[in-house]
Amino acid sequence: MTLRRAFPLLVALVVVAAPAAIAGKKVDEERVAALESRIAELETQLGEVMTKMTEIEDLAMRDQRAEEAAQQLTRLYNSGDHVAAKELLTTFQKDYAGTEAAKRSVRIARELQVIGKPAPAQVNATAWYAGESVANLDLANGSSLVVFFEEWCPHCKREVPKMQATYEKFADQGLNLMAATKVTKSSTEEKVQSFVDTNNLQFPIFKEDGRLSQYFNVSGIPAAAVVKDGKVIWRGHPANISDEMLAGWL
């Protein structure tokens, strides 16, 4: 076929193909635009994910620091260094508010509030289980160790009998030791008396109406408080009281 004869055919092909090419280019542009839009969406989502991961990492680090501070607070508190514990508690509650560690520190905070308070004017005993004849419920003078317990509490059953040795060792040195119970839950006065008799406890043990434990912010048992010359100087778990601490208070 000569060029002259083929030319009309070529022109016809161009005329037919041109709209298709233009349409194809438009489709490609739309696809590119859609792809760019999708990429932008994914980049935004990725940025949000990265921001969230950073926040989670920051919270995890804050929780870890809070746990470390809480452990230090507990060590200071249990050792009897309540001045340092109070100082740490102030910054701890401010820096780590809302953390699980801060929520757990509420009990320590409540007990530290008692330190420095004057002793209650009266210790009312509504029933006696031991030591009534030698009882001295005067907290205004000397050094007194007040233990709070319940007969149904397994930890109390372990710790309270140990107080007998403390009583025998320090009573002659001036320690005024007493234990109080409210006789709650499954306990009865008969069960308390049986507990006292079985363990041959001879220091003053009595029933109180709840005002005494409330005064000392007792929320968990066993609990203990030390009063010296009418002022609360120590508050915590009786297992954390050492002979050296008692000797120092006396």
Side-chain angles (χ1 to χ4, degrees):
M1 182 182 294
T2 64
L3 180 60
R4 180 183 293 276
R5 296 175 65 180
F7 183 75
L9 179 60
L10 292 172
V11 171
L13 289 173
V14 169
V15 171
V16 172
I22 294 172
K25 182 179 180 181
K26 184 176 181 181
V27 169
D28 289 342
E29 289 177 348
E30 290 176 350
R31 289 177 177 174
V32 170
L35 181 60
E36 289 176 344
S37 177
R38 181 57 179 160
I39 291 173
E41 291 177 4
L42 292 174
E43 288 177 343
T44 299
Q45 292 175 7
L46 179 60
E48 293 174 351
V49 170
M50 294 299 293
T51 300
K52 191 64 176 179
M53 289 180 63
T54 301
E55 292 175 353
I56 292 173
E57 290 174 354
D58 290 343
L59 288 174
M61 292 182 63
R62 183 170 181 261
D63 286 342
Q64 181 178 350
R65 291 193 297 268
E67 289 293 338
E68 293 171 353
Q71 292 174 10
Q72 182 182 2
L73 175 64
T74 301
R75 285 194 296 270
L76 290 171
Y77 177 72
N78 289 340
S79 69
D81 192 351
H82 291 148
V83 174
K86 276 188 172 182
E87 292 176 353
L88 177 59
L89 181 65
T90 301
T91 57
F92 176 81
Q93 291 180 322
K94 177 182 178 181
D95 295 341
Y96 304 113
T99 63
E100 289 299 319
K103 294 176 183 177
R104 294 197 306 271
S105 72
V106 171
R107 179 185 60 82
I108 292 179
R110 280 179 49 80
E111 294 179 5
L112 284 173
Q113 290 174 354
V114 180
I115 307 301
K117 285 177 60 176
Q122 293 182 332
V123 178
N124 295 318
T126 60
W128 284 93
Y129 308 103
E132 182 177 5
S133 60
V134 296
N136 175 15
L137 302 183
D138 177 20
L139 301 181
N141 301 287
S143 297
S144 300
L145 170 57
V146 186
V147 178
F148 298 89
F149 78 102
E150 293 298 333
E151 174 272 333
W152 50 260
C153 167
H155 303 292
C156 299
K157 290 182 176 180
R158 182 185 66 242
E159 295 299 328
V160 173
K162 296 178 183 178
M163 295 293 103
Q164 181 61 34
T166 300
Y167 176 70
E168 294 173 358
K169 185 173 184 177
F170 291 99
D172 290 342
Q173 299 180 41
L175 177 65
N176 183 25
L177 173 62
M178 65 186 77
T181 177
K182 293 185 292 184
V183 190
T184 61
K185 294 187 177 180
S186 62
S187 185
T188 64
E189 294 199 18
E190 290 76 18
K191 288 182 178 179
V192 175
Q193 190 64 62
S194 176
F195 170 71
V196 170
D197 294 342
T198 299
N199 291 282
N200 194 27
L201 304 180
Q202 301 170 16
F203 55 90
I205 301 176
F206 59 93
K207 179 181 179 181
E208 60 113 350
D209 58 11
R211 284 179 292 178
L212 187 64
S213 53
Q214 184 177 13
Y215 188 92
F216 285 100
N217 283 352
V218 175
S219 57
I221 50 175
V226 175
V227 178
K228 186 176 179 64
D229 296 330
K231 182 177 291 186
V232 183
I233 63 170
W234 189 92
R235 175 73 175 81
H237 194 287
N240 293 324
I241 300 176
S242 66
D243 286 353
E244 290 74 18
M245 293 167 68
L246 287 169
W249 292 325
L250 293 172

